[in-house]
Amino acid sequence: MTLLDVTGLTVTGRHLIVDGVDLAVSAGETVGLVGESGSGKSLTARAVAGLLPKGLTATGSVTLSGLELLGARERVLRSVRGARVALLMQDPFAMLNPLCTAGVHIAESLPRSPRPPSPFPPTDPGASPFGTVPADPGASPALPQGSGAAPTRWTRATRRAEVLRRLAEVGIDDPSVADRYPFQLSGGMRQRVALAAALARDPELLIADEPTTALDATTQHEILMLLRNVQRARGMGVLLITHDLRVAFELCDRVAVMYAGRLVESGPGFDMAKVPAHPYTAGLLAALPSATVTLSRLEGIPGGVPAAGDVTGTCAFAARCGQADSECTQERPPLREIAPDRHTACLYEVRPRPRAEPRAVTPREASADETLLRIEGLRKRYGGHVALGGVSLRVGRGESVGVVGESGSGKTTLARCVLGLVTPDEGRIELAGLDLTRRARGGGQAHRLVQCVFQDPTTSLNPSLTVGSTLAEAAAQGTPEGRLSVAELLDLVGLPASYAARRPRALSGGQRQRVAIARALAVRPALLICDEPVASLDVSVQAHVLELLRTIGRELGTSLLFITHDLAVVRQITDRTVVLFRGDVVEEGETARILDAPAHDYTRRLLASVPPTP
């Protein structure tokens, strides 16, 4: 039975953004909507929920079990949101009020009065990685058994019991979590609380917009399995929006690929991963890094996503497509059926996109006199929490070392200690013979020796400065003999010299990250610390940035300390890897050896959480 039926959805503001999207989600089905940033995925979801920003209008048809939502009165939409359609967003911090406890969030989302026992079948604890969901969701004191009648209002005791039952459904069996504030919870725990609140009124459809992007691999896996189990137990429809194809193909029954405001391919995820029917899908799949083999080159799709209004009468992907011809630009290719439940908007049969060949990697083994960074017995506590419990590692000159682990393992604290942003309680940090353990440490010399590339270039670049001003300001901090011009820095990261006149808001996410890398390299540092530099980037842009970092390491001899939770990225970028668990090093060695034959149970658990590469 079709639950959500979207027909000819068009979203416009000053420009065309979404251009005639057709989409359907059945009860009990998970449909993935994938594509690069700027494709229109999130605005499609917001149009479905009636939550478009001011200045944007939607036309077409959006029906939920036959009820037309587009053009409906706000009173009707309010009765649908939460009760029949719920949203789970990327950042639970943005969804949760920092002044309210987890229990208050869920309690406020509950229906006005208790309902009879849930008609949904209980979640199978054997199918859940948590095993904490009650066998009978109707057994809560808030939902009396027997006649099926429910009390007419909540009491303090019944509301509390219902909140705890809702937490148990998302794998939280610790009652004290209900009394904690968002800042007292981990990222995964916050996302579970946000999911419990979203499900509190038993919606028919859940729209999950990038719900795992900011989470580490094991937490991401747990949240995805949780979504799958809850969805199956409830018979709920799920529309999952993501730019991670591995997540979409692992979790979704069907996948729809969106590009420049329109759908270019749709079908069962397994079939699409095996034989993509559109060049864009093939390009995204070819750009995925592998956790099992090291590729000789990481290939992203050249160019960027055009505005929907600029490509209304042509194939939107033609300018980036290696097999496009003049016919592709004559008119807009329709979304045509090529097999049962398989559709593509390409005129031709897609030629397989060649994937780079695996390469044998011989990691550098730096001798004692080639060691650039040496860390010995580093300890750091925050109150009663041990962030680092005695970490020791080294990075050789020209070597790339990965630091992996779940959130809270101490990765970022380690980086901040090396950068001098945090003072360790014990231990020693030595970089190129300079003692960096205390902040009175050679000032400008230390600044020129080590630089950092952060996860979000939007917040690390000054929005009021042009790219040229940002790079010139950074280059002025270097030594005169090693100083690079703005044009040289832009060329180093593969950007035209004309970009010097642009401001960050005029750049794509990948272009902003390239500028951030150029700024970090402006002083010619010996060590570049990369703290999750590609975690928020689309897969094609990610491939470009990773290949850039590999090239810089080879050509400039810059050492990399690469912090990430993505083991596929570690495989492609690093020579050696250090695995952190709760502030301690549990395994280290050649990256290929650790990923092919992990010796520690924790490393094996990290690898098991990585979605398979199609």
Side-chain angles (χ1 to χ4, degrees):
M1 181 186 72
T2 300
L3 175 64
L4 175 70
D5 190 7
V6 179
T7 306
L9 177 65
T10 299
V11 177
T12 56
R14 295 177 59 187
H15 308 285
L16 179 66
I17 303 171
V18 176
D19 188 8
V21 166
D22 294 340
L23 191 67
V25 181
S26 298
E29 182 184 37
T30 300
V31 175
L33 189 59
V34 304
E36 294 172 279
S37 297
S39 293
K41 307 185 300 297
S42 292
L43 284 179
T44 297
R46 288 183 175 276
V48 168
L51 292 172
L52 284 175
K54 288 184 178 180
L56 300 184
T57 57
T59 58
S61 175
V62 176
T63 62
L64 182 71
S65 298
L67 174 65
E68 179 61 60
L69 300 182
L70 279 192
R73 295 177 178 273
E74 182 61 27
R75 176 177 56 82
V76 174
L77 293 176
R78 281 199 299 267
S79 70
V80 168
R81 296 189 202 112
R84 301 185 64 187
V85 178
L87 271 73
L88 180 66
M89 308 304 287
Q90 174 177 344
D91 184 3
F93 251 140
M95 293 183 63
L96 302 178
N97 186 333
L99 302 180
C100 294
T101 64
V104 168
H105 281 98
I106 298 170
E108 289 181 343
S109 301
L110 292 172
R112 291 180 180 274
S113 59
R115 294 173 176 173
S118 171
F120 300 121
T123 301
D124 177 12
S128 170
F130 316 105
T132 57
V133 181
D136 180 5
S140 164
L143 300 173
Q145 304 299 296
S147 66
T152 58
R153 64 183 181 87
W154 296 106
T155 65
R156 178 176 295 183
T158 57
R159 187 186 297 273
R160 173 74 177 186
E162 180 68 359
V163 165
L164 297 183
R165 185 179 75 83
R166 296 290 181 169
L167 285 173
E169 186 183 21
V170 296
I172 300 175
D173 59 352
D174 181 359
S176 69
V177 172
D179 303 314
R180 297 181 198 170
Y181 291 88
F183 74 90
Q184 296 173 312
L185 304 175
S186 67
M189 195 75 82
R190 285 194 294 268
Q191 195 63 291
R192 291 173 193 242
V193 170
L195 177 60
L199 298 178
R201 298 181 69 184
D202 301 319
E204 302 166 48
L205 175 69
L206 176 69
I207 300 175
D209 191 357
E210 301 279 8
T212 62
T213 296
L215 303 178
D216 58 67
T218 52
T219 306
Q220 178 189 77
H221 180 74
E222 289 175 355
I223 294 297
L224 291 176
M225 293 304 100
L226 173 62
L227 270 175
R228 174 186 288 172
N229 292 333
V230 169
Q231 179 257 343
R232 288 176 176 175
R234 290 166 167 262
M236 179 177 62
V238 175
L239 179 61
L240 175 69
I241 298 168
T242 180
H243 65 256
D244 191 330
L245 270 70
R246 286 176 296 196
V247 167
F249 290 141
E250 181 184 31
L251 191 69
C252 300
D253 302 301
R254 290 189 298 114
V255 175
V257 182
M258 198 165 182
Y259 184 79
R262 66 182 75 162
L263 294 187
V264 296
E265 184 174 358
S266 66
F270 177 81
D271 294 344
M272 195 181 298
K274 189 175 180 180
V275 185
H278 195 280
Y280 178 58
T281 311
L284 293 177
L285 286 168
L288 285 171
S290 171
T292 57
V293 296
T294 305
L295 302 175
S296 58
R297 182 172 178 80
L298 298 170
E299 298 280 358
I301 304 173
V305 181
D310 295 339
V311 289
T312 53
T314 182
C315 171
F317 190 62
R320 304 174 72 187
C321 181
Q323 64 182 75
D325 59 23
S326 59
E327 191 173 351
C328 298
T329 60
Q330 297 303 310
E331 59 182 355
R332 172 177 175 169
L335 191 67
R336 59 189 178 90
E337 187 174 40
I338 57 173
D341 203 26
R342 285 296 306 274
H343 296 79
T344 180
C346 184
L347 299 175
Y348 306 107
E349 183 176 345
V350 176
R351 294 194 298 266
R353 187 182 175 99
R355 193 167 175 87
E357 293 296 322
R359 66 184 177 103
V361 179
T362 304
R364 285 176 46 86
E365 282 297 333
S367 60
D369 59 347
E370 289 182 314
T371 297
L372 174 69
L373 173 68
R374 187 187 304 277
I375 298 174
E376 296 178 350
L378 208 62
R379 298 179 182 273
K380 181 64 183 179
R381 296 177 66 96
Y382 296 103
H385 172 65
V386 178
L388 296 174
V391 171
S392 298
L393 63 84
R394 62 181 177 81
V395 179
R397 292 185 184 273
E399 186 183 30
S400 177
V401 175
V403 180
V404 302
E406 296 170 292
S407 298
S409 61
K411 304 186 304 294
T412 297
T413 298
L414 175 66
R416 291 172 68 85
C417 286
V418 177
L419 290 166
L421 301 175
V422 168
T423 302
D425 300 327
E426 298 178 34
R428 180 180 177 83
I429 305 171
E430 186 179 290
L431 180 63
L434 187 66
D435 185 0
L436 304 187
T437 312
R438 299 291 175 258
R439 276 322 284 163
R441 53 194 217 156
Q445 186 180 356
H447 171 74
R448 288 189 292 270
L449 282 171
V450 58
Q451 288 286 304
C452 188
V453 179
F454 296 98
Q455 176 175 342
D456 186 1
T458 303
T459 57
S460 63
L461 296 175
N462 189 330
S464 65
L465 293 181
T466 63
V467 168
S469 297
T470 295
L471 297 182
E473 183 179 71
Q477 307 301 313
T479 59
E481 60 273 14
R483 190 171 298 166
L484 296 174
S485 69
V486 170
E488 288 173 324
L489 286 168
L490 288 172
D491 181 65
L492 183 64
V493 296
L495 292 176
S498 61
Y499 276 45
R502 299 191 181 187
R503 285 183 166 78
R505 66 174 178 271
L507 304 177
S508 68
Q511 290 168 343
R512 283 194 291 266
Q513 194 63 292
R514 287 173 182 255
V515 171
I517 293 170
R519 182 183 61 180
L521 295 172
V523 295
R524 302 292 294 268
L527 176 67
L528 187 63
I529 296 178
C530 300
D531 190 359
E532 302 279 11
V534 296
S536 60
L537 300 180
D538 299 317
V539 62
S540 178
V541 177
Q542 178 189 84
H544 286 303
V545 172
L546 290 177
E547 186 60 30
L548 170 63
L549 288 170
R550 287 209 307 199
T551 302
I552 287 170
R554 289 193 300 263
E555 295 183 355
L556 298 184
T558 305
S559 299
L560 297 182
L561 186 63
F562 200 94
I563 296 169
T564 183
H565 63 255
D566 192 329
L567 297 185
V569 167
V570 164
R571 181 84 187 221
Q572 306 305 320
I573 201 77
T574 65
D575 301 311
R576 291 189 301 110
T577 295
V578 175
V579 182
L580 284 183
F581 177 60
R582 296 181 179 175
D584 291 314
V585 176
V586 295
E587 189 167 0
E588 65 175 309
E590 178 187 338
T591 297
R593 183 195 63 74
I594 284 181
L595 297 186
D596 292 341
H600 197 278
D601 287 342
Y602 177 66
T603 312
R604 287 192 283 269
R605 183 158 69 90
L606 289 178
L607 279 165
S609 300
V610 179
T613 301

